[in-house]
């Protein structure tokens, strides 16, 4: 079923306007057709009631239950020097099932935190477009940027990807029943030895992807995708 973003709610009707209305026209949705509409963090099953030049009215049939597949993965991504590579990371980790992305400033990452902050709205828009395409239950959350030194090992399983060590692989991890995972991925130049020792001191385990050294963005997408697929608990999902 096609999914659209609403712009406001009037009683039991959601209004679609602007670019989303163009999208509705492009998809050739007809009056009377059922569609999903997302507004203010909620997903609704609606019927397209009226289609005009500058707006569409969608009658709410019901609010849809939202089940988030476990584990809840937060990707701490050291921001690539090639800042535009974050666009790809946002789109793809949204598709493979990360719950949240936190941009990280590390010694070899992109450094300017103000510039990173200015990109957050763009990354949220990419996350919303991906949410519509891949039909995930909620858009990927984008957190405020943090410095690597301020990250906490506050998930049930705390991991970082390290291409230097011949460490354990993802299939060797005990993932049964794990509900929350933090995953840190280094920038193009990797994490420094000091940073990797610091993370181990905090309680993060280093994990290796085999067989080769990957680009940062490939490592993030594969890392989240493998963790999700090896540990997804199909029968027990978490309702937000
Ligand atoms: N210059 C680094 C080196 O020679 O190892 C490469 C860094 S890699 C391009 C960027 C980041 O992706 C790494 O810090 C790590 O987090 C992740 N990464 C890439 N390949 C990996 C692998 N095979 N195993 C684990 N992590 C990997």
């Amino acid at each position: 079923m096609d999914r659209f973003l609403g712009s406001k709610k009037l009683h039991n009707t959601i209004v679609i306007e602007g670019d989303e209305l163009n999208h509705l026209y492009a998809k050739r949705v007809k009056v009377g057709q059922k569609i999903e509409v997302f507004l203010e963090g909620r997903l609704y099953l609606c019927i397209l009631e009226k289609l005009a030049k500058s707006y569409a009215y969608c009658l709410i049939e019901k609010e849809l239950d939202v089940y988030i597949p476990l584990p809840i993965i937060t990707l701490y991504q050291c921001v690539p020097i090639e800042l535009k590579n974050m666009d790809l990371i946002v789109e793809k980790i949204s598709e493979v099932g990360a719950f949240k992305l936190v941009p990280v400033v590390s010694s070899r990452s992109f450094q300017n935190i103000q510039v990173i902050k200015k990109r957050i709205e763009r990354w949220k828009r990419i996350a919303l477009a991906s949410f519509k395409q891949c039909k995930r239950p909620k858009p990927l959350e984008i957190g405020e940027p943090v410095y690597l030194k301020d990250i906490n090992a506050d998930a049930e399983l705390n991991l970082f990807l390290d291409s230097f060590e011949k460490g354990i692989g993802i299939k060797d991890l005990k993932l049964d029943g794990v509900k929350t995972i933090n995953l840190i991925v280094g920038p193009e130049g990797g994490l420094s030895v000091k940073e990797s020792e610091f993370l181990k001191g905090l309680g993060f385990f280093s994990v290796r992807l085999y067989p080769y050294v990957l680009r940062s963005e490939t490592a993030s997408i594969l890392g989240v995708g493998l963790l999700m697929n090896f540990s997804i608990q199909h029968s027990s999902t978490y309702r937000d």
Side-chain angles (χ1 to χ4, degrees), residues 161-164 184-191 207-210 212-216 219:
L161 292 184
D162 192 346
S163 49
F164 288 106
I184 303 177
V185 179
E188 295 94 326
L191 298 166
V207 176
R208 178 73 206 261
L209 297 167
Y210 291 95
Y212 303 125
V213 175
L214 308 171
R215 286 186 185 275
S216 177

Side-chain angles (χ1 to χ4, degrees), residues 165-178:
E165 288 193 33
K166 289 211 181 323
I168 56 167
I170 285 184
K171 71 176 175 43
D172 305 316
L173 294 167
K174 286 194 172 48
L175 296 166
D176 268 7
V178 173

Side-chain angles (χ1 to χ4, degrees), residues 79-94:
V79 181
I81 301 283
E82 280 293 335
L83 198 50
K84 69 174 171 21
N85 287 346
M86 274 296 263
D87 293 1
L88 180 81
I89 293 171
V90 172
E91 183 182 86
K92 299 304 171 201
I93 65 150
S94 158

Side-chain angles (χ1 to χ4, degrees), residues 5-206:
L5 306 177
S7 52
K8 58 185 172 229
K9 192 163 166 254
L10 310 164
H11 308 291
N12 59 348
T13 299
I14 298 181
V15 184
I16 295 179
E17 298 164 304
D19 285 349
E20 280 303 293
L21 184 66
N22 295 339
H23 185 207
L24 199 83
Y25 274 111
K27 287 276 190 175
R28 298 175 190 281
V29 182
K30 303 272 181 295
V31 169
Q33 200 173 318
K34 288 192 181 190
I35 53 174
E36 287 179 358
V37 185
F38 182 73
L39 179 70
E40 291 161 0
R42 292 166 186 274
L43 193 58
Y44 300 91
L45 179 65
C46 297
I47 296 176
L48 182 59
E49 198 183 31
K50 185 172 180 187
L51 192 52
K53 228 177 174 182
S54 57
Y55 64 88
Y57 283 159
C58 311
L59 187 67
I60 297 173
E61 203 162 82
K62 63 173 179 179
E63 184 179 342
L64 293 167
D65 282 336
V66 170
Y67 291 95
I68 314 280
L70 294 175
I72 304 280
I73 300 179
T74 300
L75 173 70
Y76 286 89
Q77 174 68 51
C78 294
V79 181
I81 301 283
E82 280 293 335
L83 198 50
K84 69 174 171 21
N85 287 346
M86 274 296 263
D87 293 1
L88 180 81
I89 293 171
V90 172
E91 183 182 86
K92 299 304 171 201
I93 65 150
S94 158
E95 284 173 36
V96 295
F99 183 79
K100 182 172 181 178
L101 170 76
V102 179
V104 176
V105 175
S106 65
S107 62
R108 296 175 187 157
S109 75
F110 185 88
Q111 293 293 311
N112 191 327
I113 210 150
Q114 294 312 323
V115 172
I116 296 171
K117 281 184 176 169
K118 282 191 193 139
R119 287 272 169 140
I120 286 180
E121 280 313 309
R122 173 183 173 81
W123 296 334
K124 284 186 177 169
R125 281 199 301 278
I126 295 172
L128 271 178
S130 165
F131 158 79
K132 284 168 59 186
Q133 175 274 321
C134 73
K135 307 286 186 281
R136 47 182 289 145
K138 282 185 82 179
L140 173 77
E141 289 186 10
I142 313 282
E144 286 296 308
V146 296
Y147 289 96
L148 188 98
K149 66 175 176 54
D150 296 326
I151 294 178
N152 294 310
D154 55 8
E156 283 175 36
L157 189 59
N158 299 282
L159 307 170
F160 68 103
L161 292 184
D162 192 346
S163 49
F164 288 106
E165 288 193 33
K166 289 211 181 323
I168 56 167
I170 285 184
K171 71 176 175 43
D172 305 316
L173 294 167
K174 286 194 172 48
L175 296 166
D176 268 7
V178 173
K179 291 189 173 55
T180 54
I181 300 177
N182 285 338
L183 178 69
I184 303 177
V185 179
E188 295 94 326
L191 298 166
S192 69
V193 175
K194 208 171 149 191
E195 285 170 333
S196 132
E197 290 307 317
F198 167 73
L199 292 174
K200 284 180 197 163
L202 287 181
F204 281 85
F205 289 101
S206 98

Side-chain angles (χ1 to χ4, degrees), residues 208-237:
R208 178 73 206 261
L209 297 167
Y210 291 95
Y212 303 125
V213 175
L214 308 171
R215 286 186 185 275
S216 177
E217 56 273 28
T218 318
S220 305
I221 299 161
L222 184 63
V224 174
L226 287 176
L227 283 169
M228 222 48 215
N229 278 269
F230 279 138
S231 58
I232 200 159
Q233 295 141 41
H234 296 285
S235 56
S236 114
T237 46

